[in-house]
Amino acid sequence: MRDEIESTEYEGLFPVLYDLLHPSAPEADAYARLARERDGDLLELGCGTGRLVVPLARAGIEVWGLDLYRDMLDACRAKLERESPSVRERVTLVEGDTRTFTLPRTFPLITAPCNFLDNLLGADDLLQTFRSAARHLADDGLFVVDSSAPDLPAMVAADGQEQVGEFTHPDTGRRLVSRFTPRFDFVRQIETDDITLEELEGDVVVRRARTTMTVTWHHPREIEAALGAAGLEAVGTYGSVDRRPMRARGGDMVHFARRARP
Ligand SMILES: C[S@@+](CC[C@H](N)C(=O)[O-])C[C@H]1O[C@@H](n2cnc3c(N)ncnc32)[C@H](O)[C@@H]1O
């Protein structure tokens, strides 16, 4: 039995779980519309396994995807291998850190979808990422940040509770069992997740991956303040990428920002 300990849920066997937990990309059409309105390419911060990259490239958008973890990018590359050459040619993948990256060009649309910000634990990490985005944003470009709004009652209820999921491995056909236990430090805004993923042949575990992952959550005013400090200006906060109103509890929290005007 292979027993693996990973530092994050973005390595080893875990990218497979990511795709099983996020099988669709309902917001891809809205991102494609924003890109077409700007008649230009899109840079996705923390593009992961290409949940959005692939449908956007299929829709004719030129997509650049930046991610820190090679295993996530490799999963994206494997998906692109199954696409037509024209879809593949529209995608540029870059291994890098959103806090420090430098690309040789600017973009009319930069996105940070699907709770990417949760990975930015320190106030400086958020600020550095937003500064990097500002440096790569075209003069009239749009920066879209999509995260889940913190649902504190739901987090209190989930605190310390193990959640078990069962899936089928898409390549091996074997049963996968995930165990996820979140713990919340509500003062420091830190969530520590113990995650175990087992791959079984019959009843025998053939591979086990474990990680203890630390993430955070942000409230809208923190995001708006960090955007402002990074030379960006929040121009709208919505409940979806297609600009439906934000809910008072839970749901999505989508910030639209542009470069601050003097
Ligand atoms: C929640 S996933 C989102 C993936 C993808 N955007 C999506 O919509 O499915 C967050 C991604 O951010 C990446 N990531 C975490 N910290 C990062 C950093 N500092 N710089 C670049 N990527 C990072 C992880 O590897 C992961 O792929």
Coordinates of all heavy atoms in Angstrom, one line a residue, residues 102-184:
T102 N 5.9 37.3 -12.8 CA 6.1 38.4 -13.8 C 5.9 37.7 -15.2 O 6.6 36.8 -15.5 CB 7.5 39.0 -13.8 OG1 7.7 39.5 -12.5 CG2 7.7 40.1 -14.8
L103 N 4.9 38.2 -15.9 CA 4.7 37.7 -17.3 C 5.0 38.9 -18.2 O 5.0 40.0 -17.9 CB 3.2 37.3 -17.5 CG 2.8 36.1 -16.6 CD1 1.3 35.8 -16.8 CD2 3.6 34.8 -17.0
P104 N 5.4 38.5 -19.5 CA 5.9 39.6 -20.4 C 4.8 40.4 -21.0 O 5.0 41.0 -22.0 CB 6.6 38.7 -21.5 CG 5.8 37.4 -21.5 CD 5.4 37.2 -20.1
R105 N 3.6 40.5 -20.5 CA 2.5 41.2 -21.1 C 1.4 41.5 -20.1 O 1.4 41.0 -19.0 CB 1.9 40.4 -22.2 CG 1.5 39.0 -21.8 CD 0.6 38.3 -22.8 NE -0.6 39.1 -22.8 CZ -1.7 38.8 -23.5 NH1 -1.7 37.7 -24.3 NH2 -2.8 39.5 -23.5
T106 N 0.5 42.4 -20.5 CA -0.7 42.7 -19.7 C -1.9 42.0 -20.3 O -1.9 41.5 -21.4 CB -0.9 44.2 -19.6 OG1 -1.1 44.7 -20.9 CG2 0.2 44.9 -18.9
F107 N -3.0 42.0 -19.5 CA -4.3 41.3 -19.9 C -5.5 42.2 -19.7 O -5.6 42.9 -18.7 CB -4.5 40.1 -19.1 CG -3.4 39.0 -19.3 CD1 -2.2 39.1 -18.6 CD2 -3.5 38.0 -20.2 CE1 -1.2 38.2 -18.8 CE2 -2.5 37.1 -20.4 CZ -1.3 37.2 -19.7
P108 N -6.4 42.2 -20.6 CA -7.7 42.9 -20.4 C -8.6 42.3 -19.4 O -9.5 43.0 -18.9 CB -8.3 42.9 -21.8 CG -7.7 41.8 -22.6 CD -6.4 41.5 -22.0
L109 N -8.4 41.0 -19.1 CA -9.2 40.3 -18.1 C -8.3 39.4 -17.2 O -7.6 38.6 -17.8 CB -10.3 39.5 -18.8 CG -11.3 38.8 -17.8 CD1 -12.0 39.7 -16.9 CD2 -12.3 38.0 -18.7
I110 N -8.3 39.6 -15.9 CA -7.6 38.7 -15.0 C -8.7 38.2 -14.0 O -9.5 38.9 -13.5 CB -6.5 39.4 -14.2 CG1 -5.5 40.0 -15.3 CG2 -5.8 38.5 -13.3 CD1 -4.3 40.7 -14.6
T111 N -8.6 36.9 -13.8 CA -9.6 36.3 -12.9 C -8.9 35.5 -11.7 O -7.8 35.0 -11.9 CB -10.5 35.3 -13.6 OG1 -9.7 34.2 -14.1 CG2 -11.2 36.0 -14.8
A112 N -9.6 35.4 -10.6 CA -9.1 34.6 -9.5 C -10.4 33.9 -9.0 O -11.0 34.3 -8.0 CB -8.6 35.5 -8.4
P113 N -10.7 32.8 -9.7 CA -12.0 32.1 -9.4 C -11.9 31.1 -8.3 O -10.9 30.7 -7.8 CB -12.3 31.4 -10.7 CG -11.2 31.6 -11.6 CD -10.1 32.2 -10.8
C114 N -13.1 30.6 -7.9 CA -13.3 29.4 -7.1 C -12.5 29.4 -5.8 O -11.7 28.5 -5.5 CB -12.9 28.2 -7.9 SG -13.6 26.6 -7.3
N115 N -12.6 30.4 -5.0 CA -12.0 30.5 -3.7 C -10.5 30.5 -3.7 O -9.8 30.0 -2.8 CB -12.5 29.3 -2.8 CG -13.9 29.5 -2.5 OD1 -14.4 30.6 -2.4 ND2 -14.6 28.4 -2.5
F116 N -9.9 30.9 -4.8 CA -8.4 31.0 -4.9 C -7.9 31.7 -3.7 O -6.9 31.4 -3.1 CB -7.9 31.6 -6.2 CG -6.5 32.0 -6.1 CD1 -5.5 31.0 -6.1 CD2 -6.1 33.3 -5.9 CE1 -4.2 31.3 -5.9 CE2 -4.8 33.6 -5.7 CZ -3.8 32.6 -5.7
L117 N -8.6 32.8 -3.3 CA -8.0 33.7 -2.2 C -7.9 33.0 -0.9 O -7.1 33.4 0.0 CB -9.0 34.9 -2.0 CG -9.1 36.0 -3.1 CD1 -9.7 37.2 -2.5 CD2 -7.8 36.3 -3.7
D118 N -8.6 31.9 -0.7 CA -8.5 31.1 0.6 C -7.1 30.7 0.8 O -6.7 30.3 2.0 CB -9.4 29.9 0.6 CG -10.9 30.3 0.5 OD1 -11.2 31.5 0.4 OD2 -11.8 29.4 0.6
N119 N -6.3 30.6 -0.3 CA -4.9 30.1 -0.1 C -4.0 31.2 0.4 O -2.8 30.9 0.7 CB -4.4 29.6 -1.4 CG -5.2 28.4 -1.9 OD1 -4.9 27.3 -1.4 ND2 -6.1 28.6 -2.8
L120 N -4.4 32.4 0.5 CA -3.6 33.5 0.8 C -3.8 33.8 2.3 O -4.7 34.6 2.7 CB -3.9 34.7 -0.1 CG -3.8 34.4 -1.6 CD1 -4.3 35.6 -2.4 CD2 -2.3 34.0 -2.0
L121 N -2.9 33.2 3.1 CA -3.2 33.2 4.6 C -2.9 34.6 5.2 O -3.6 35.0 6.1 CB -2.4 32.2 5.2 CG -2.7 30.7 4.8 CD1 -1.9 29.7 5.7 CD2 -4.2 30.4 5.0
G122 N -1.8 35.2 4.8 CA -1.4 36.5 5.4 C -2.0 37.7 4.7 O -2.3 37.6 3.5
A123 N -2.1 38.8 5.5 CA -2.6 40.0 4.8 C -1.7 40.4 3.7 O -2.1 40.9 2.7 CB -2.7 41.1 5.9
D124 N -0.4 40.2 3.9 CA 0.6 40.5 2.8 C 0.4 39.7 1.6 O 0.7 40.2 0.5 CB 2.0 40.3 3.4 CG 2.5 41.5 4.1 OD1 1.8 42.5 4.2 OD2 3.7 41.5 4.5
D125 N 0.0 38.4 1.8 CA -0.2 37.5 0.6 C -1.3 38.1 -0.3 O -1.2 38.1 -1.5 CB -0.6 36.1 1.0 CG 0.6 35.4 1.8 OD1 1.7 35.9 1.7 OD2 0.3 34.5 2.5
L126 N -2.4 38.6 0.3 CA -3.5 39.1 -0.5 C -3.0 40.4 -1.2 O -3.2 40.5 -2.4 CB -4.6 39.4 0.5 CG -6.0 39.7 0.0 CD1 -6.5 38.6 -0.8 CD2 -6.9 40.1 1.1
L127 N -2.3 41.2 -0.4 CA -1.9 42.5 -1.0 C -0.9 42.2 -2.2 O -1.0 42.8 -3.2 CB -1.2 43.3 0.1 CG -0.8 44.7 -0.3 CD1 -2.0 45.5 -0.8 CD2 -0.2 45.5 0.9
Q128 N 0.1 41.3 -1.9 CA 1.1 41.0 -3.0 C 0.4 40.5 -4.2 O 0.8 40.8 -5.4 CB 2.1 40.0 -2.5 CG 3.1 40.6 -1.6 CD 4.1 39.5 -1.0 OE1 4.3 38.5 -1.6 NE2 4.6 39.8 0.2
T129 N -0.6 39.6 -4.0 CA -1.3 39.0 -5.2 C -2.0 40.1 -6.0 O -2.0 40.2 -7.2 CB -2.2 37.9 -4.7 OG1 -1.4 36.8 -4.3 CG2 -3.1 37.4 -5.8
F130 N -2.7 41.0 -5.2 CA -3.4 42.0 -5.9 C -2.5 43.0 -6.6 O -2.8 43.5 -7.7 CB -4.3 42.8 -4.9 CG -5.6 42.0 -4.5 CD1 -6.4 42.5 -3.5 CD2 -5.9 40.8 -5.1 CE1 -7.5 41.7 -3.1 CE2 -7.0 40.0 -4.7 CZ -7.8 40.5 -3.7
R131 N -1.3 43.3 -6.0 CA -0.3 44.1 -6.7 C 0.2 43.5 -8.0 O 0.3 44.2 -9.0 CB 0.9 44.4 -5.7 CG 0.5 45.4 -4.7 CD 1.8 46.0 -4.1 NE 1.5 47.0 -3.1 CZ 1.9 47.0 -1.8 NH1 2.7 46.1 -1.4 NH2 1.5 48.0 -1.0
S132 N 0.4 42.2 -7.9 CA 0.8 41.5 -9.1 C -0.3 41.5 -10.2 O 0.0 41.8 -11.4 CB 1.1 40.0 -8.8 OG 2.1 39.8 -7.9
A133 N -1.5 41.4 -9.8 CA -2.6 41.5 -10.7 C -2.7 42.9 -11.3 O -2.8 43.0 -12.5 CB -3.9 41.1 -10.1
A134 N -2.5 43.9 -10.5 CA -2.6 45.3 -11.0 C -1.5 45.5 -12.0 O -1.7 46.2 -13.0 CB -2.4 46.2 -9.8
R135 N -0.3 45.0 -11.8 CA 0.9 45.2 -12.7 C 0.6 44.5 -14.0 O 1.1 44.9 -15.1 CB 2.2 44.5 -12.1 CG 2.9 45.5 -11.1 CD 4.3 44.9 -10.8 NE 4.2 43.8 -9.9 CZ 4.5 42.5 -10.2 NH1 4.9 42.2 -11.4 NH2 4.4 41.6 -9.3
H136 N -0.3 43.5 -14.0 CA -0.5 42.7 -15.3 C -1.8 43.1 -15.9 O -2.3 42.5 -16.9 CB -0.4 41.2 -15.0 CG 1.0 40.7 -14.7 ND1 1.5 40.8 -13.5 CD2 1.9 40.2 -15.6 CE1 2.8 40.3 -13.6 NE2 3.0 40.0 -14.8
L137 N -2.5 44.1 -15.3 CA -3.8 44.5 -15.9 C -3.7 45.6 -16.9 O -3.0 46.6 -16.6 CB -4.7 44.9 -14.7 CG -6.2 44.9 -14.9 CD1 -6.8 43.6 -15.2 CD2 -6.9 45.5 -13.7
A138 N -4.3 45.4 -18.1 CA -4.3 46.5 -19.1 C -4.9 47.7 -18.5 O -5.7 47.6 -17.6 CB -5.0 46.0 -20.3
D139 N -4.7 48.9 -19.1 CA -5.2 50.1 -18.6 C -6.7 50.1 -18.3 O -7.1 50.6 -17.2 CB -4.9 51.3 -19.6 CG -3.5 51.7 -19.5 OD1 -2.8 51.3 -18.4 OD2 -3.0 52.4 -20.4
D140 N -7.5 49.6 -19.2 CA -8.9 49.6 -19.0 C -9.4 48.1 -18.7 O -10.5 47.8 -18.9 CB -9.7 50.1 -20.2 CG -9.2 49.4 -21.5 OD1 -8.3 48.5 -21.4 OD2 -9.8 49.6 -22.5
G141 N -8.4 47.3 -18.1 CA -8.7 45.9 -17.9 C -9.6 45.7 -16.6 O -9.8 46.6 -15.8
L142 N -10.1 44.5 -16.5 CA -11.0 44.1 -15.4 C -10.4 43.0 -14.6 O -9.9 42.0 -15.2 CB -12.4 43.7 -16.0 CG -13.4 43.2 -15.0 CD1 -13.9 44.4 -14.2 CD2 -14.6 42.6 -15.8
F143 N -10.5 43.0 -13.3 CA -10.0 42.0 -12.4 C -11.2 41.4 -11.7 O -11.9 42.2 -11.1 CB -9.0 42.6 -11.5 CG -8.4 41.6 -10.5 CD1 -8.1 40.3 -10.8 CD2 -8.0 42.0 -9.2 CE1 -7.5 39.4 -9.9 CE2 -7.5 41.1 -8.3 CZ -7.2 39.8 -8.7
V144 N -11.4 40.1 -11.8 CA -12.6 39.5 -11.2 C -12.2 38.5 -10.2 O -11.4 37.6 -10.5 CB -13.5 38.8 -12.2 CG1 -14.7 38.2 -11.6 CG2 -13.9 39.8 -13.3
V145 N -12.6 38.7 -8.9 CA -12.2 37.8 -7.8 C -13.5 37.1 -7.3 O -14.4 37.8 -6.8 CB -11.6 38.6 -6.7 CG1 -11.2 37.7 -5.6 CG2 -10.4 39.4 -7.2
D146 N -13.5 35.8 -7.4 CA -14.7 35.0 -7.0 C -14.5 34.1 -5.9 O -13.7 33.1 -6.0 CB -15.2 34.2 -8.3 CG -16.5 33.4 -8.0 OD1 -17.0 33.5 -6.9 OD2 -16.9 32.7 -8.9
S147 N -15.1 34.4 -4.7 CA -14.9 33.5 -3.6 C -16.2 33.2 -2.9 O -17.2 33.9 -3.2 CB -14.0 34.2 -2.5 OG -12.7 34.4 -2.9
S148 N -16.3 32.2 -2.1 CA -17.5 32.0 -1.3 C -17.6 33.0 -0.2 O -16.6 33.2 0.5 CB -17.5 30.6 -0.7 OG -17.4 29.6 -1.7
A149 N -18.8 33.6 0.0 CA -18.9 34.5 1.1 C -18.9 33.6 2.4 O -19.5 32.5 2.4 CB -20.3 35.2 1.0
P150 N -18.2 34.1 3.5 CA -18.1 33.3 4.7 C -19.5 33.1 5.3 O -20.3 34.0 5.5 CB -17.3 34.2 5.6 CG -16.8 35.3 4.8 CD -17.5 35.4 3.6
D151 N -19.9 31.8 5.5 CA -21.2 31.5 6.1 C -20.9 31.0 7.5 O -20.7 29.8 7.7 CB -21.8 30.4 5.2 CG -23.2 30.1 5.7 OD1 -23.6 30.4 6.9 OD2 -24.0 29.5 4.9
L152 N -20.8 31.9 8.4 CA -20.3 31.6 9.8 C -21.2 30.5 10.5 O -20.7 29.6 11.1 CB -20.2 32.9 10.6 CG -19.1 33.8 10.1 CD1 -19.0 35.1 10.9 CD2 -17.8 33.2 9.9
P153 N -22.5 30.6 10.4 CA -23.3 29.6 11.1 C -23.0 28.2 10.5 O -22.9 27.2 11.3 CB -24.8 30.0 10.8 CG -24.7 31.5 10.6 CD -23.4 31.7 9.9
A154 N -22.8 28.1 9.2 CA -22.5 26.8 8.6 C -21.1 26.3 9.0 O -20.9 25.1 9.3 CB -22.6 26.9 7.1
M155 N -20.2 27.3 9.2 CA -18.9 26.9 9.6 C -18.9 26.4 11.0 O -18.2 25.4 11.4 CB -17.9 28.1 9.4 CG -17.6 28.4 8.0 SD -17.3 30.1 7.6 CE -15.6 30.3 8.1
V156 N -19.6 27.1 11.9 CA -19.8 26.6 13.3 C -20.3 25.2 13.3 O -19.8 24.3 14.1 CB -20.7 27.6 14.1 CG1 -21.0 27.0 15.5 CG2 -20.0 28.9 14.3
A157 N -21.3 24.9 12.5 CA -21.9 23.6 12.5 C -21.0 22.5 12.0 O -21.0 21.4 12.4 CB -23.2 23.6 11.6
A158 N -20.1 22.9 11.1 CA -19.2 21.9 10.4 C -17.9 21.7 11.3 O -17.2 20.7 11.0 CB -18.8 22.4 9.0
D159 N -17.7 22.6 12.2 CA -16.4 22.6 13.0 C -16.1 21.2 13.6 O -17.0 20.8 14.5 CB -16.5 23.7 14.1 CG -15.1 24.0 14.7 OD1 -14.1 23.6 14.1 OD2 -15.1 24.5 15.8
G160 N -15.1 20.6 13.2 CA -14.7 19.3 13.8 C -15.5 18.1 13.4 O -15.3 17.0 13.8
Q161 N -16.4 18.3 12.4 CA -17.3 17.2 12.0 C -16.6 16.5 10.7 O -16.3 17.2 9.7 CB -18.6 17.7 11.5 CG -19.4 18.4 12.6 CD -19.8 17.5 13.8 OE1 -20.2 16.4 13.6 NE2 -19.5 18.0 15.0
E162 N -16.4 15.2 10.8 CA -15.9 14.5 9.6 C -17.0 14.4 8.5 O -18.1 14.0 8.8 CB -15.4 13.1 10.0 CG -14.7 12.4 8.9 CD -14.2 11.0 9.3 OE1 -15.1 10.1 9.4 OE2 -13.0 10.8 9.4
Q163 N -16.6 14.7 7.3 CA -17.4 14.5 6.1 C -16.8 13.4 5.3 O -15.6 13.5 4.9 CB -17.6 15.8 5.3 CG -18.2 16.9 6.2 CD -17.9 18.3 5.6 OE1 -17.8 18.5 4.4 NE2 -17.7 19.3 6.4
V164 N -17.6 12.4 4.9 CA -17.1 11.3 4.2 C -17.7 11.3 2.8 O -18.9 11.5 2.6 CB -17.4 9.9 4.9 CG1 -16.8 8.7 4.1 CG2 -16.8 9.9 6.3
G165 N -16.9 11.1 1.7 CA -17.4 11.1 0.4 C -16.9 9.8 -0.3 O -15.8 9.3 0.0
E166 N -17.7 9.3 -1.3 CA -17.3 8.1 -2.0 C -17.3 8.4 -3.5 O -18.3 9.0 -4.0 CB -18.2 7.0 -1.8 CG -18.0 6.4 -0.4 CD -18.1 4.8 -0.4 OE1 -18.0 4.2 -1.5 OE2 -18.2 4.3 0.6
F167 N -16.3 8.0 -4.3 CA -16.2 8.4 -5.7 C -15.6 7.2 -6.4 O -15.1 6.2 -5.8 CB -15.3 9.6 -5.9 CG -15.6 10.8 -5.1 CD1 -15.0 10.9 -3.8 CD2 -16.5 11.7 -5.5 CE1 -15.3 12.0 -3.0 CE2 -16.8 12.8 -4.7 CZ -16.2 13.0 -3.5
T168 N -15.6 7.2 -7.7 CA -14.9 6.2 -8.5 C -13.7 6.9 -9.2 O -13.9 8.0 -9.9 CB -15.8 5.7 -9.6 OG1 -16.9 5.1 -8.9 CG2 -15.1 4.6 -10.4
H169 N -12.5 6.4 -9.1 CA -11.3 7.0 -9.8 C -11.5 6.9 -11.3 O -11.8 5.9 -11.8 CB -10.1 6.2 -9.4 CG -8.8 6.9 -9.7 ND1 -8.5 7.2 -11.0 CD2 -7.8 7.4 -9.0 CE1 -7.3 7.9 -11.0 NE2 -6.9 8.0 -9.8
P170 N -11.4 8.1 -11.9 CA -11.8 8.2 -13.4 C -10.8 7.3 -14.2 O -11.2 6.9 -15.3 CB -11.6 9.7 -13.7 CG -10.8 10.2 -12.6 CD -11.0 9.4 -11.4
D171 N -9.6 7.1 -13.8 CA -8.7 6.3 -14.6 C -8.6 4.8 -14.2 O -8.7 3.9 -15.1 CB -7.2 6.9 -14.5 CG -7.2 8.3 -15.0 OD1 -8.0 8.7 -15.9 OD2 -6.5 9.1 -14.4
T172 N -8.5 4.6 -12.9 CA -8.4 3.2 -12.5 C -9.7 2.5 -12.3 O -9.7 1.2 -12.2 CB -7.6 3.1 -11.1 OG1 -8.4 3.7 -10.1 CG2 -6.2 3.8 -11.2
G173 N -10.8 3.2 -12.1 CA -12.1 2.6 -11.9 C -12.3 2.1 -10.5 O -13.3 1.6 -10.1
R174 N -11.2 2.4 -9.6 CA -11.3 1.9 -8.2 C -12.2 2.9 -7.4 O -12.3 4.0 -7.8 CB -9.9 1.8 -7.6 CG -9.1 0.6 -8.2 CD -7.8 0.7 -7.5 NE -6.9 -0.3 -8.1 CZ -5.6 -0.1 -8.3 NH1 -5.0 1.1 -8.0 NH2 -4.8 -1.0 -8.8
R175 N -12.6 2.3 -6.2 CA -13.4 3.2 -5.3 C -12.4 4.1 -4.6 O -11.3 3.7 -4.2 CB -14.1 2.2 -4.3 CG -15.2 2.9 -3.5 CD -16.2 1.8 -3.0 NE -15.5 0.8 -2.2 CZ -15.5 0.8 -0.8 NH1 -16.2 1.8 -0.2 NH2 -14.9 -0.1 -0.1
L176 N -12.9 5.4 -4.4 CA -12.1 6.3 -3.7 C -13.0 6.8 -2.5 O -14.1 7.1 -2.7 CB -11.8 7.6 -4.5 CG -10.8 7.5 -5.6 CD1 -10.8 8.8 -6.5 CD2 -9.4 7.3 -5.0
V177 N -12.4 6.8 -1.3 CA -13.1 7.3 -0.1 C -12.4 8.5 0.4 O -11.2 8.4 0.7 CB -13.3 6.2 0.9 CG1 -14.0 6.7 2.2 CG2 -14.0 5.0 0.4
S178 N -13.1 9.6 0.6 CA -12.4 10.8 1.1 C -13.0 11.1 2.5 O -14.2 10.9 2.8 CB -12.6 12.0 0.2 OG -14.0 12.5 0.3
R179 N -12.1 11.5 3.4 CA -12.5 12.0 4.8 C -12.0 13.4 5.0 O -10.8 13.6 4.8 CB -12.0 11.0 5.8 CG -12.6 9.7 5.7 CD -12.3 8.8 7.0 NE -13.1 7.6 6.9 CZ -13.0 6.6 6.1 NH1 -12.0 6.6 5.2 NH2 -13.8 5.6 6.0
F180 N -12.9 14.3 5.3 CA -12.5 15.7 5.4 C -13.0 16.2 6.8 O -14.2 16.1 7.0 CB -13.2 16.4 4.3 CG -13.1 17.9 4.3 CD1 -12.0 18.5 3.7 CD2 -14.1 18.7 4.8 CE1 -11.9 19.9 3.7 CE2 -14.0 20.1 4.9 CZ -12.9 20.7 4.3
T181 N -12.1 16.7 7.6 CA -12.5 17.3 8.9 C -12.0 18.7 9.0 O -10.8 18.9 9.1 CB -12.0 16.5 10.1 OG1 -12.4 15.1 9.9 CG2 -12.6 17.0 11.4
P182 N -12.9 19.7 8.9 CA -12.4 21.1 9.1 C -12.5 21.6 10.5 O -13.3 21.1 11.3 CB -13.5 21.9 8.3 CG -14.7 21.1 8.4 CD -14.3 19.7 8.6
R183 N -11.5 22.4 10.9 CA -11.5 23.0 12.2 C -11.3 24.5 12.0 O -10.4 24.9 11.2 CB -10.4 22.4 13.1 CG -10.8 21.0 13.5 CD -9.9 20.5 14.7 NE -10.3 19.1 15.0 CZ -10.1 18.0 14.3 NH1 -9.4 18.1 13.2 NH2 -10.6 16.8 14.7
F184 N -12.0 25.3 12.7 CA -12.0 26.8 12.5 C -11.5 27.5 13.7 O -11.9 27.3 14.8 CB -13.4 27.3 12.2 CG -14.0 26.6 10.9 CD1 -14.8 25.5 11.0 CD2 -13.7 27.2 9.7 CE1 -15.3 24.9 9.9 CE2 -14.2 26.6 8.5 CZ -15.0 25.5 8.6

